[in-house]
Amino acid sequence: MGLTLPPGFYEKAVKDVEAALNDLESIWLEETPYLAGDVPTFADLSCVCELSQLELTDYDFLKGRPKLEKWYNKMKEVPGYSDVSATLYKAIAAQKKATAKL
């Protein structure tokens, strides 16, 4: 038994995610290295945790977004990030392992 999505749901969701990613690139990271200025804040940590979930998909959310990619990689080095994201990265590793067996 699976979830049935309304027609166009997936396409709209992808468009919405792309719009949000483009806003991060062209508005929030346009003039500063972090979302709210020159140092990482709770907003950055919250955002990177949400974006990290996209690593569970095949979608290359950093492609064509150099500011976002630089920010994302810096945020992964922020103290505490690895503790917060440990469960997610275990899930990513398990998914990749399962996919490799197919």
Side-chain angles (χ1 to χ4, degrees):
M1 177 186 224
L3 177 67
T4 302
L5 300 173
F9 181 88
Y10 175 79
E11 292 78 7
K12 181 180 180 329
V14 169
K15 267 186 168 177
D16 290 347
V17 168
E18 288 182 349
L21 294 170
N22 290 337
D23 284 350
L24 286 169
E25 175 78 17
S26 65
I27 297 171
W28 295 102
L29 297 170
E30 178 63 25
E31 297 179 9
T32 59
Y34 297 98
L35 298 178
D38 293 328
V39 295
T41 65
F42 185 72
D44 293 280
L45 188 56
S46 295
C47 188
V48 75
C49 288
E50 291 299 321
L51 292 181
S52 296
Q53 295 176 59
L54 291 173
E55 290 191 39
L56 288 166
T57 71
D58 291 333
Y59 177 58
D60 186 358
F61 63 98
L62 299 174
K63 184 178 180 180
R65 298 180 179 97
K67 292 175 188 171
L68 184 62
E69 182 174 14
K70 183 177 179 180
W71 168 85
Y72 187 75
N73 290 328
K74 283 192 300 187
M75 286 304 301
K76 290 170 80 174
E77 300 300 320
V78 168
Y81 174 80
S82 59
D83 296 330
V84 170
S85 60
T87 301
L88 172 68
Y89 285 106
K90 285 179 187 174
I92 290 169
Q95 182 186 34
K96 287 181 180 178
K97 186 177 178 181
T99 302
K101 291 181 181 180
L102 296 178

